[in-house]
Amino acid sequence: MKYFIITNLFAGGGNAKKVWPDIKKYLAAKNVAYKAVYTEYADHAVELTKQILGKIAATKQKDVVIIAAGGDGTLHETLLGCKRYYEAHPTEKQVPISFLPIGSGNDFARGLKIPLKWEKALSNILHSDSPTTINVGHYTDLDNHTDGFFTNNFGIGFDASVVHLANRSSLKSNHFFGKFSYIAAILNVIINFKGFYAEIIPENESKHIFQHTFLLTTTDIPYFGGGINIVPTASALDDHLDMVVVEKPSLWQLILFISMIFLKRHLQLKFIHHYHEKQLFIKTNGNRYGQIDGEELGERTYNLKLETVKYPFWI
Ligand SMILES: Nc1ncnc2c1ncn2[C@@H]1O[C@H](COP(=O)(O)OP(=O)(O)OP(=O)(O)O)[C@@H](O)[C@H]1O
């Protein structure tokens, strides 16, 4: 087996850079055939993936795996690179994606029970002998006819506003104070957030309308936001997506919501709506922040179709 490793040394607030020399030593000690490439800017992993797949096809290499080594953002870009490459080359055999979690949140690893310790995760990759089909999230923007994919979640509202604010915080780049940028952003959003209008159309159902939406997250895995178990029953192995809509809570409802998350019983609360569907449509009014796999989508309105599509993973 040969491994192509797409490495984001900036993942995990410097953690990836710290552990990378040990990962290389581990691979050398086990005589693993691999080639590592490094991301040099945001979105670079998409291009690197396409280039690697092009070379694999041109040299007719078999028994190859692409490993995304970094955080969920690096995995997201690697999946996008693969999907875009095979859209252009539909007859080629799809190379499986593997994930070495050396980022910050690592929600995909938590969701798929990939060990968070890199030694164990890498050992599992090297001992795996066949691909597993994962149903990743796929969205189509019905307004501008673009599309994209997500391994974890697509969030509109609260979670996306937190990602947006935290990314702009002067604390974020500090290795020690980085996590406080999220706490500060969460408090800021809780105080200032205004609920927004959203329409949800589950498969074969009529429209559900929410006038004051706080959180509208579609997820393929149980976790979001770096380990928050938002839908404990979600699974990337089935062909369904889970959506959680939280109506703007009062302070006591918010406290109840957070407490119930720890007990994994928050989905029973009256102001929380849970959907488990093969296909969902979302329409929102007013500009709102969006996030996809923890990466910012900017501020806009949404008119989306959401479903799953398959891709082979090496986990
Ligand atoms: N050389 C680079 N310089 C700056 N940004 C980069 C570079 N390489 C990758 N990036 C960007 O870094 C961002 C974060 O990467 P990633 O998600 O892998 O790590 P993380 O945020 O630490 O982990 P997680 O998403 O699991 O919390 C991504 O948006 C990616 O595009």
Side-chain angles (χ1 to χ4, degrees):
M1 189 63 68
K2 177 158 182 191
Y3 303 89
F4 289 87
I5 311 180
I6 297 178
T7 312
N8 176 4
L9 293 175
F10 294 83
N15 177 53
K17 194 175 262 170
K18 208 170 81 196
V19 298
W20 182 245
D22 294 332
I23 293 173
K24 284 203 294 187
K25 272 188 217 148
Y26 182 101
L27 292 168
K30 298 209 174 319
N31 281 323
V32 175
Y34 78 97
K35 172 152 177 47
V37 292
Y38 303 92
T39 57
E40 289 167 15
Y41 48 86
D43 293 331
H44 192 193
V46 180
E47 290 316 309
L48 289 172
T49 302
K50 289 195 226 164
Q51 286 165 15
I52 289 169
L53 293 175
K55 271 188 207 144
I56 289 171
T59 51
K60 296 192 168 50
Q61 294 187 63
K62 291 199 175 76
D63 298 329
V64 281
V65 168
I66 292 194
I67 303 178
D72 290 319
T74 306
L75 177 64
H76 174 91
E77 291 177 18
T78 303
L79 172 69
L80 185 60
C82 287
K83 281 289 187 190
R84 294 294 183 238
Y85 179 85
Y86 292 114
E87 278 164 13
H89 305 86
T91 57
E92 289 181 19
K93 189 163 184 272
Q94 295 180 341
V95 171
I97 300 174
S98 200
F99 182 47
L100 185 60
I102 49 175
S104 323
N106 298 320
D107 282 331
F108 183 79
R110 291 173 212 273
L112 273 294
K113 301 204 165 35
I114 294 170
L116 296 182
K117 293 236 180 313
W118 69 261
E119 294 94 330
K120 187 82 186 65
L122 191 50
S123 166
N124 285 4
I125 293 169
L126 301 180
H127 285 103
S128 182
D129 56 10
S130 58
T132 301
T133 300
I134 300 276
N135 294 282
V136 296
H138 175 235
Y139 73 87
T140 309
D141 187 318
L142 301 173
D143 285 335
N144 60 21
H145 308 288
T146 55
D147 75 334
F149 303 89
F150 52 99
T151 54
N152 299 2
N153 18 75
F154 190 133
I156 304 165
F158 176 74
D159 53 345
S161 300
V162 170
V163 169
H164 171 79
L165 269 188
N167 281 348
R168 267 144 202 82
S169 164
S170 52
L171 296 173
K172 174 124 200 250
S173 51
N174 185 297
H175 189 54
F176 182 71
F177 290 108
K179 53 178 155 300
F180 294 108
S181 66
Y182 277 94
I183 296 169
I186 287 168
L187 290 175
N188 188 333
V189 177
I190 285 173
I191 292 165
N192 296 309
F193 195 86
K194 300 246 180 317
F196 61 97
Y197 175 92
E199 293 174 5
I200 311 296
I201 309 178
E203 201 180 15
N204 306 323
E205 274 190 51
S206 51
K207 209 183 279 181
H208 296 198
I209 292 177
F210 301 96
Q211 296 289 353
H212 303 287
T213 314
F214 176 68
L215 176 89
L216 171 45
T217 295
T218 305
T219 188
D220 197 31
I221 58 169
Y223 299 96
F224 87 145
I228 300 168
N229 201 339
I230 188 73
V231 184
T233 51
S235 170
L237 300 175
D238 71 20
D239 59 359
H240 283 57
L241 288 170
D242 289 83
M243 179 184 283
V244 175
V245 183
V246 180
E247 293 179 83
K248 178 106 174 71
S250 61
L251 186 60
W252 78 263
Q253 282 176 319
L254 191 65
I255 294 166
L256 186 64
F257 175 43
I258 294 166
S259 320
M260 292 289 266
I261 282 182
F262 287 107
L263 300 172
K264 298 187 186 170
R265 295 178 69 178
H266 55 287
L267 297 177
Q268 297 167 7
L269 295 170
K270 261 202 175 131
F271 57 96
I272 300 190
H273 309 271
H274 173 216
Y275 301 90
H276 177 70
E277 302 285 339
K278 276 191 174 175
Q279 195 178 72
L280 286 147
F281 291 85
I282 301 176
K283 203 169 180 178
T284 64
N285 270 2
N287 283 346
R288 291 291 155 169
Y289 289 110
Q291 65 85 16
I292 188 160
D293 293 342
E295 305 298 312
E296 279 190 62
L297 278 175
E299 204 179 10
R300 38 168 290 200
T301 57
Y302 302 85
N303 184 12
L304 305 172
K305 175 175 145 189
L306 296 142
E307 65 211 331
T308 61
V309 291
K310 296 184 187 307
Y311 198 83
F313 276 67
W314 197 262
I315 50 176

